[in-house]
Amino acid sequence: MIWPRLVTSLVVLLLILSGATWGLEIWRARMAEQRYPPNGIFVDVGDQRVHMVIKGDHGPAVVLIHGASGSARDLTFDLAPELAKRYRVFVPDRPGFGYSDPLPVDQDTIENQAKLLQKATKVAGADDPIVLGHSYGGAVAIAWAVYQPDTLSGLVPVSAPSHSWDSGLPLLYEITSPPLGQAVVVPLISAWTPPAIIRSEVESVFTPQEMPIGYLHWFGPGMTLRVQTMRVNARQRASLKSEIQAMIPHYPDLDLPVVSVHGTADTIVGEQIHAVPFTNEVPGAELISLDGIGHMVPHVALQQTVAAVDRVAERAGYSIPMRPAAE
């Protein structure tokens, strides 16, 4: 008689845990959205809604594309305001992040993300922009140049994956990208991850530099912990390597100003694996190599990142005001 009682107790326990998880992850998502409401405009591209922040009212158009586990808030912390002094800056939430609608599961590739963001930013007023992408967003920026070469005037990949790598998918994404992980594990992580672990994870991305004061509060990691966003992030990360491999044969055909920026101490996206061969394979491409700098280049090497945009603008034939010598 003990087994029916044990099974019943386990079922009840699982139902309680499931209900608590569902309630907590809904509550945390609502709290994050209340704390970080939309701070830009919405653009409709067919059935897709894209949220983006626009800064600056003059100068060449620059589009900034954020990386994995982020949103437009990442690149509007300091890079977008700095560029907006001399450029018109468009910072969209990638599909499925922030307040942008996700793409259909079977269409969520870096190519389709690039096409959607090109259309959305063009509707918002960005014609033939300089496109800068950081980390995963750098792969999307490269896809923009590869698959839509006539719609941008220059490319700035920053800490960007561009080539294949030997290691497998990180354990987190191995668990959260399959259907079972999407259904079961993602809600558990969303609901129960302690704030201290969240802070530690964000800080670790800046290694060996320190996270800037105020960044965590501005960035709003609770937005990334929403179930839908985590599911999109895991699926995108799982398919990234194969999508990059498909682009590599097209690099010698790129014909536009390209300046990459990469840190030599980046352990997330290695410079020697990605930026160095990319620079060698793209005709006329340049590389700004930052000694001792880690992955979060836009924040810990802000002026060098701005200088890369300036260099691309110069090569594209734009006339922009010079920065003060003190900068």
Side-chain angles (χ1 to χ4, degrees):
M1 296 295 292
I2 190 173
W3 290 110
R5 292 178 183 176
L6 180 59
V7 170
T8 300
S9 297
L10 288 174
V11 169
V12 171
L13 182 61
L14 287 173
L15 288 174
I16 292 173
L17 178 61
S18 177
T21 297
W22 179 82
L24 185 54
E25 63 97 348
I26 291 293
W27 178 80
R28 294 182 83 171
R30 288 178 178 173
M31 291 299 100
E33 290 169 358
Q34 288 180 16
R35 189 173 185 181
Y36 300 99
N39 59 345
I41 65 169
F42 287 94
V43 174
D44 291 323
V45 179
D47 295 333
Q48 298 290 139
R49 186 178 71 160
V50 176
H51 173 256
M52 77 178 73
V53 177
I54 302 175
K55 291 185 174 291
D57 56 8
H58 64 280
V62 177
V63 173
L64 307 181
I65 305 177
H66 68 83
S69 301
S71 71
R73 297 193 69 89
D74 173 33
L75 296 178
T76 56
F77 175 68
D78 47 12
L79 180 58
E82 186 67 22
L83 287 170
K85 296 174 182 178
R86 292 172 303 120
Y87 297 91
R88 192 155 188 243
V89 186
F90 300 77
V91 195
D93 288 329
R94 288 196 296 106
F97 295 83
Y99 288 96
S100 290
D101 292 340
L103 286 165
V105 173
D106 61 345
Q107 299 177 31
D108 196 4
T109 64
I110 54 175
E111 177 181 357
N112 287 335
Q113 290 179 58
K115 289 179 177 178
L116 175 65
L117 296 181
Q118 186 276 324
K119 292 176 182 177
T121 52
K122 183 176 178 61
V123 169
D127 290 313
D128 298 323
I130 296 168
V131 179
L132 180 153
H134 174 241
S135 193
Y136 181 103
V140 176
I142 294 170
W144 185 326
V146 166
Y147 298 115
Q148 305 173 98
D150 298 327
T151 65
L152 73 167
S153 59
L155 176 65
V156 185
V158 181
S159 309
S162 59
H163 285 71
S164 186
W165 55 93
D166 294 333
S167 59
L169 194 64
L171 180 60
L172 174 64
Y173 301 121
E174 285 275 13
I175 295 172
T176 57
S177 59
L180 182 60
Q182 297 254 302
V184 177
V185 180
V186 168
L188 289 171
I189 295 174
S190 174
W192 299 104
T193 303
I197 291 181
I198 297 171
R199 181 182 183 89
S200 176
E201 287 298 311
V202 176
E203 287 178 335
S204 70
V205 180
F206 282 87
T207 304
Q209 283 73 46
E210 293 185 359
M211 180 174 64
I213 295 173
Y215 176 82
L216 187 67
H217 174 76
W218 175 264
F219 176 64
M223 293 291 290
T224 302
L225 278 176
R226 294 175 302 170
V227 167
Q228 175 181 275
T229 302
M230 288 192 65
R231 286 171 174 158
V232 169
N233 192 62
R235 292 195 303 265
Q236 290 180 353
R237 181 61 181 81
S239 63
L240 179 61
K241 184 189 287 190
S242 62
E243 293 171 24
I244 285 177
Q245 289 171 334
M247 293 197 299
I248 295 173
H250 300 284
Y251 293 163
D253 299 325
L254 291 177
D255 183 21
L256 77 169
V258 178
V259 176
S260 294
V261 191
H262 218 111
T264 63
D266 188 342
T267 59
I268 297 174
V269 180
E271 181 190 45
Q272 294 298 318
I273 297 173
H274 299 280
V276 170
F278 182 74
T279 304
N280 291 336
E281 293 168 20
V282 175
E286 302 174 30
L287 171 61
I288 298 176
S289 181
L290 304 174
D291 188 41
I293 299 297
H295 188 63
M296 296 300 277
V297 167
H299 307 296
V300 302
L302 174 62
Q303 295 305 328
Q304 293 93 324
T305 306
V306 172
V309 176
D310 290 344
R311 175 60 177 154
V312 166
E314 176 189 4
R315 289 181 55 188
Y318 289 119
S319 177
I320 58 174
M322 295 296 293
R323 287 186 291 162
E327 294 184 12

